[in-house]
Amino acid sequence: MAIHPGDILAGYRVTRLLGRGGMGEVWAARSDTTGRDVAIKVLLARAAVKPDLVQRFQREAKIASAIQSPYVCSLLDVGLTPDGAHLLVFEKLDGESLADRLKREQYLPFAEVFPIIEDVLCGLCAAHAADVIHRDLKPGNIFIERTASPERPERAKILDFGISKLKRGDGEQNEPTLTAFDATLGSFAYMAPEQVRGAARADERADIYAVGAVAFRSLSGRLPFEGTTAALLVAMKLERQAPSLAEATGDRWPAGIERFLERALERKRENRFATAREALDGWRTLAPGGRVIQPPPPVRAPEPSSLHVAPPDPPTVADDADAAVSQDDQPTWVDHPPTETVDTPLIGQALDLSSEPGRGRRTGR
C-alpha cells in the first residue's frame, strides 16, 4: 500500500515523507489528540518479502526498546500498516545530523565537538549496559537535537540500531547474511579493523573506535585513513596505526586530545579503552573552559516492554567484510528532504575520498 499525507498509521496522521532508503521509508506524523510529532519507519514491500530483513527490522525494535537513555533516539511503538507492513514509531527530533553539520562547516572547534562526543559516549554506556553493540556509528547516525535549555541548547543522540547486535554470543552462527541487501560501504571509513575483517568480531571496542573516528573527522576535517580503493583502505586499517591530528592537519594539538584519539583508534582492540565508561571518563578530563561536568543519568535496567514485537531468532552477524554496513548515511527518521545516499561505492569500485567533506581546509581554526 502506498502511503500518502493524511493517512493514519499507528494512531498518527501522516504529514510528509522524511526519507527513503533501501529497506524502508520514514514519514513525519502527528497525533490528532495529543499533537505529538513522531517519525514512522515503514518496511518497504520489496524488503518485507525477505525473511532475514523482516527479522532485522524486528530486531531493531527489540534492541531500541531495551535502551533507556536521553542520548539515544527513543522508540515509542511498534505496529503494522493497514495492509500488514511492519512499522516503528520513533520520537521526532528537531535539529540536524552531525553529517549535515560537517558538510556545511568542514570541521568544528573542540568546544563544539566535546559535548557531542560526551553525549555519544553516554549513549553508548546505556547501549552497552543493555548488551547492545551499535556497529554503525558515524556522523550520519549522530543527531544534534535542539533543546529548550539555555544552559545546554543542543544534545546529541545516537540513531539507527538497524544493524546492531547483542553481546550475548549464543546462536551467532545462525543469523542469515545481510550482505546481499547491504552491499554498500556506507560506514566503512568509521569501522574498526576487526570489523573490517568480519562483523561478527565486533564488540564494544568497535563502537569506541568509531567514536574516535567521528571525533577525528569532526576536529580535523579529514578521515583517519584515506585511499583511492577499498583494498587500499582495508590494508591501511589492518596494518597501520591511525595518524595523529598533528600529522593530519599540520597543526599542533593539546597532548590530551592526541592521547585520547590515539587510544580510541588503536589498531589492536586490546589497547583501546576497554569500555565506553572508561572512554567517557577519559574524554571528560579534556573538558574545555573549566566546564562543570554533570554525571550521566544512572543506567537503568530495561523495564518490561509493552511493545508487541515478535522475538527474533538469536541475533548474529555475517562474518565477511561487506556485512553490517548501513544502506543510508543519513539518519532515517530525521527531518530532511527525501534522499537515498551512501558514503562510498560498492565493494570493488574505486573510492573517491576527495569528495569527503573537509577535503578543502577552511582557513583559520
Side-chain angles (χ1 to χ4, degrees), residues 203-273:
D203 62 13
E204 300 99 314
R205 293 166 294 182
D207 283 347
I208 293 170
Y209 183 99
V211 172
V214 169
F216 190 101
R217 165 68 184 89
S218 300
L219 291 169
S220 70
R222 305 181 67 89
L223 293 166
F225 293 103
E226 299 174 353
T228 56
T229 66
L232 179 58
L233 282 175
V234 168
M236 288 191 293
K237 277 179 176 282
L238 297 181
E239 298 172 6
R240 301 182 189 177
Q241 180 63 23
S244 65
L245 286 173
E247 291 169 332
T249 65
D251 298 329
R252 294 186 61 183
W253 291 81
I257 298 175
E258 292 279 29
R259 283 195 300 268
F260 178 92
L261 292 178
E262 180 183 11
R263 188 171 179 191
L265 293 171
E266 270 284 351
R267 180 168 58 90
K268 297 181 179 179
R269 62 181 173 183
E270 59 268 22
N271 294 333
R272 290 179 215 145
F273 296 101

Side-chain angles (χ1 to χ4, degrees), residues 36-39 69-70 72-76 89-93 145 157 333:
R36 180 169 194 174
D37 291 318
V38 299
S69 172
V72 173
C73 187
S74 297
L75 177 68
L76 305 177
V89 181
F90 290 93
E91 64 174 327
K92 187 170 178 291
L93 304 177
E145 177 189 28
K157 289 194 172 189
W333 51 84

Side-chain angles (χ1 to χ4, degrees), residues 301-315:
E303 300 175 0
S305 174
S306 61
L307 301 175
H308 301 289
V309 184
D313 294 334

